[in-house]
Amino acid sequence: MGLSNLKSNFAGKAAAAGIAAAIALTPLTGAFAEDKQQNAEFTEAAAQISAPGEAARWSMQNNGGVGVAISMGTQSRVTPAQVEQVIRRDFASNGVTSLRFFYDRISSLGTAFSFHVDGGSTEVLTLGNVRNAIPVAAADAKHMAQYPELARN
């Protein structure tokens, strides 16, 4: 429907209401598009300083080490001190003591974890399965320490 046909398609109050709505909503559409672009830029910037990104970078520079990314949820049932104590103990019992912890906040309720070795990452883990992933991540770290020529850095 072109603007030239607007008058023939709407009559009386309906035309006035349609034109008023179109005029009123046009600036909002532009504002929503601008907000969406700003949110995308914010998300991109936040991802650059995220715990998983920092943990991956650290793990590439520290052969045989494990970068531990912890994204604390809004209703986390654990404290950072509790998390570190348990994860350090479990990694030590699997032969790995070179760990560095990286934290950020996420908007979900629970806490998310990931382990990073030589820039690679485990899947996203939860409180329910984080400890089960430690033996595999520890084995990867020990392998990289034993064969440094395989490192990505």
Side-chain angles (χ1 to χ4, degrees):
M1 165 174 61
L3 290 176
S4 61
N5 295 333
L6 188 60
K7 187 175 180 182
S8 63
N9 289 322
F10 292 103
K13 291 181 182 177
I19 292 170
I23 292 170
L25 294 177
T26 299
L28 292 178
T29 307
F32 287 136
E34 185 177 317
D35 286 348
K36 187 174 180 180
Q37 180 182 2
Q38 288 174 348
N39 286 341
E41 291 168 3
F42 173 76
T43 302
E44 183 179 324
Q48 292 172 0
I49 58 169
S50 70
E54 292 299 313
R57 278 188 279 286
W58 182 87
S59 72
M60 287 188 71
Q61 297 168 355
N62 294 275
N63 193 35
V66 178
V68 180
I70 303 172
S71 298
M72 301 296 286
T74 58
Q75 295 182 10
S76 181
R77 300 180 313 207
V78 295
T79 66
Q82 292 170 318
V83 169
E84 283 194 36
Q85 180 184 19
V86 171
I87 290 176
R88 281 188 190 283
R89 184 182 63 227
D90 286 2
F91 268 104
S93 70
N94 282 278
V96 175
T97 57
S98 178
L99 302 170
R100 180 142 181 217
F101 290 80
F102 298 88
Y103 292 90
D104 63 9
R105 282 258 177 226
I106 55 174
S107 59
S108 67
L109 300 178
T111 297
F113 304 84
S114 56
F115 301 129
H116 301 263
V117 176
D118 191 39
S121 175
T122 61
E123 63 187 328
V124 175
L125 305 162
T126 65
L127 279 175
N129 66 356
V130 67
R131 294 181 77 188
N132 296 336
I134 289 175
V136 173
D140 289 347
K142 290 188 293 189
H143 181 79
M144 291 310 298
Q146 185 176 0
Y147 301 102
E149 65 274 8
L150 298 177
R152 295 181 201 190
N153 56 357

